[in-house]
Structure formats: structure tokens, C-alpha cells
């Protein structure tokens, strides 16, 4: 019986060996032609900019084009679904972002895919906080000043975001829940319109994209009260985090990571992850990221996969508590 089991084991190894060798050979020659990177936003913006900077480094390393394909629509679902349904050969990648990967699975109950089930993580690319801003005319001087005012007169204060269910809106809802605040969201179709209304004093407070807000903060047209990340932003080193100023442990990072369709060969995923992490350690790329208000950092595939799982749970709890529906 023991010898029969041994013969079966050896036979299994011999059968599997050609497949393993084929995978190794494919990885050794990968990429042999251009690689597509689908991004769920139009051109411009921090996610697009850092992805293009990374794509340039990967093209230089591998000698093949890494092509950014902007596929906006349905809050990131269009690009995500495109890659989920693509061939799992390493030539179709997704620039995954906070909303599409960890918020939309709860907000959109009719998705025909699950990012955690149908995509494999490759590496984190960058993180960036949401910035809480106020109109200088509002008289709000600090985050704690804002909290005190809202608690004293909640009917007076609204806040602007770039839409219902976005990462900025969810950061605001998490903030409200942690601090016990009662403020009403004023959703805009985009960040520029929201910023103009905050500057004009029509909405006193905003939970805004950091990159778009930086020039207005620098010129004094907006007052930065706090950032929502796990650490202070290098772009605003004098501005405290929410965790420092009011709610210890608070974290609401926005982030960018790279993913591939489930079934993409593990050697290809590993090769890509190593190359991405090497590129992200370049001082020039890190400096570019800081210019967008991003902290450039890589990860192992396993660490990113776990992060997506944990963030999905966190945002599901926030959405449920706030009863957010589209």
C-alpha cells in the first residue's frame, strides 16, 4: 500500500512538472509584449499621475510598454470589471483604488464580481489622506474648534464631498461616527465644484482631495484643519492628523494598488511585485508622489490582499451605520 502511494505521488509530480516548468518559462520571458493597466479615472489626478510615473519605470525595466488605459465610469466599477473579465496572463492589470476595491462591494449589491475573490493583489503603490478644509470666512481655526461649533449648533453646519459613496464621503461619515457629530453631506459631481463653493462660503467645511486642495491651501483661500491618514502628510507637515487632534487611532487613507485577474500565474505576480517595489524605492519616484500629496510605498501581495479584506470590513460597517444608499 505504501509503495503504491509512493508511485502515485511520483506520478503526480511527473505530470505536474511540465506545467510548473511552463509557468517558470513564461515568467522568465514576461513580459513579451505590451501590458495594459486599466485605471478607473479620467486622465489627471494623483492616481493617474503616480500610475504613469510607475508605468514609465516598469517599461524601462522590462523593455515593454506599460500602457495606462483610463476607463472611468460607475465609481470605478467599469475598469474593475474589465480586468476581472480579462485574460489572466499578466498582460491586463488594474490600478485598484479605495472606492472600487473596498467600498463598492457594499454599496453596489448587484455586482457580478467580487474584488477579493476575482482579483489577486500585486503591490500597494501609494497612500494619501483626505484633507478636512474650511472656508477662511467661516471663522473655524482648528479641528477641535470645528467639532465644538458643530456640536453646539449642528443645524448650521454642512460639509462638501465629491459625491455619495466616495472615499471622501466615507471618511467624513467615519469621522462623524467617531466624534458623535450631526452634519449633513452636500455631494457634488466633482472636486472643483465643491472647492469653489467652500471658497465662496456656501459650504463651510469640506472633506476634499489633498492634491486638488494644496494650491488653495498654500494661497490662503482654504484653511486646512486636519488630514485623515495614519500619519502627517509630507505635503502638509504642520497640519495634524485627526488621530492626533481629536480621535486617537482614526485612519481613513485613500490608496492606489496594483491587481491582476484571478488565475494570473504566481511567478508573474511575484516578478511584477518585486519590480514594482524596487521602482517605488527610487528617490525620484517617491519625490514625485510627495508632489501629489501621496506617500509612495510598496507591499507584498499577501499584505495588500489582507489590507483590502480589512478595509472592506471597515467601510461596510460605516456604510451600514450611516445607512448610505445609492
Amino acid at each position: 500500500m505504501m509503495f503504491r502511494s509512493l508511485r502515485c505521488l511520483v506520478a503526480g509530480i511527473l505530470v505536474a512538472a511540465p506545467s510548473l516548468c511552463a509557468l517558470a518559462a513564461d515568467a522568465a520571458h514576461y513580459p513579451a509584449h505590451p501590458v495594459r493597466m486599466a485605471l478607473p479615472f479620467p486622465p489627471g489626478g494623483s492616481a493617474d499621475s503616480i500610475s504613469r510615473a510607475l508605468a514609465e519605470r516598469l517599461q524601462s525595466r522590462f523593455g515593454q510598454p506599460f500602457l495606462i488605459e483610463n476607463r472611468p465610469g460607475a465609481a470605478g466599477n467599469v475598469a474593475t470589471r474589465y480586468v476581472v473579465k480579462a485574460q489572466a496572463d499578466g498582460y491586463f492589470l488594474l490600478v485598484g483604488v479605495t472606492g472600487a476595491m473596498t467600498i463598492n462591494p457594499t454599496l453596489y449589491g448587484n455586482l457580478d464580481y467580487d474584488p477579493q475573490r476575482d482579483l489577486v493583489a500585486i503591490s500597494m503603490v501609494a497612500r494619501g489622506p483626505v484633507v478636512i478644509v474650511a472656508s477662511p470666512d467661516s471663522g473655524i481655526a482648528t479641528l477641535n474648534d470645528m467639532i465644538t461649533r458643530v456640536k453646539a449648533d449642528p443645524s448650521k453646519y454642512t460639509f462638501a464631498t465629491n459625491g455619495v459613496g466616495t472615499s471622501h464621503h466615507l471618511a467624513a461619515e467615519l469621522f462623524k461616527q467617531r466624534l458623535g457629530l450631526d452634519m449633513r453631506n452636500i455631494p457634488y459631481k466633482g472636486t472643483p465644484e465643491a472647492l469653489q463653493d467652500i471658497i465662496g462660503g456656501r459650504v463651510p467645511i469640506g472633506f476634499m482631495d489633498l492634491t486638488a486642495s494644496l494650491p488653495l491651501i498654500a494661497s490662503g483661500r482654504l484653511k486646512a484643519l486636519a488630514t485623515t491618514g495614519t500619519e502627517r502628510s509630507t505635503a502638509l507637515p504642520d497640519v495634524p492628523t485627526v488621530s492626533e487632534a481629536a480621535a486617537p487611532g482614526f485612519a481613513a487613507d485613500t490608496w492606489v494598488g496594483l491587481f491582476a485577474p484571478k488565475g494570473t500565474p504566481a511567478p508573474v505576480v511575484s516578478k511584477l511585485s518585486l519590480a514594482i517595489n524596487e521602482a517605488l524605492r527610487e528617490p525620484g519616484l517617491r519625490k514625485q508622489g510627495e508632489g501629489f500629496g501621496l506617500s509612495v510605498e510598496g507591499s507584498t501581495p499577501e499584505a495588500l490582499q489582507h489590507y483590502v479584506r480589512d478595509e472592506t470590513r471597515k467601510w461596510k460597517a460605516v456604510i451600514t451605520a450611516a445607512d448610505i444608499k445609492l
Side-chain angles (χ1 to χ4, degrees), residues 31-50:
H33 56 78
V35 178
R36 299 177 180 181
M37 296 170 58
L39 192 141
F41 299 125
S46 56
D48 182 83
S49 299
I50 195 65

Side-chain angles (χ1 to χ4, degrees), residues 223-239:
K223 171 71 175 178
L225 304 177
T227 55
T228 65
T230 52
E231 57 188 27
R232 290 196 182 198
S233 169
T234 55
L236 293 172
D238 297 327
V239 176

Side-chain angles (χ1 to χ4, degrees), residues 235-249:
L236 293 172
D238 297 327
V239 176
T241 64
V242 172
S243 179
E244 289 178 294

Side-chain angles (χ1 to χ4, degrees), residues 7-132:
R7 285 198 302 272
C8 290
L9 176 61
V10 171
I13 293 172
L14 292 175
V15 169
S19 297
L20 294 174
C21 290
L23 286 175
D26 287 345
H29 295 95
Y30 173 88
H33 56 78
V35 178
R36 299 177 180 181
M37 296 170 58
L39 192 141
F41 299 125
S46 56
D48 182 83
S49 299
I50 195 65
S51 298
R52 290 182 186 278
L54 175 61
E56 290 174 6
R57 268 86 175 171
L58 294 176
Q59 177 170 327
S60 177
R61 178 183 178 88
F62 289 120
Q64 289 289 348
F66 278 70
L67 307 172
I68 299 294
E69 293 189 352
N70 298 94
R71 291 178 174 267
N77 293 339
V78 170
T80 306
R81 188 180 189 280
Y82 167 73
V83 175
V84 164
K85 305 300 181 182
Q87 189 170 345
D89 55 7
Y91 291 93
F92 295 88
L93 307 178
L94 173 70
V95 179
V97 294
T98 315
M101 295 299 298
T102 63
I103 294 173
N104 290 0
T106 300
L107 278 181
Y108 294 83
N110 60 346
L111 293 179
D112 61 348
Y113 62 87
D114 180 341
Q116 292 188 70
R117 181 193 66 211
D118 298 324
L119 293 167
V120 293
I122 300 173
S123 175
M124 181 70 80
V125 174
R127 299 175 192 251
V130 174
V131 61
I132 305 175

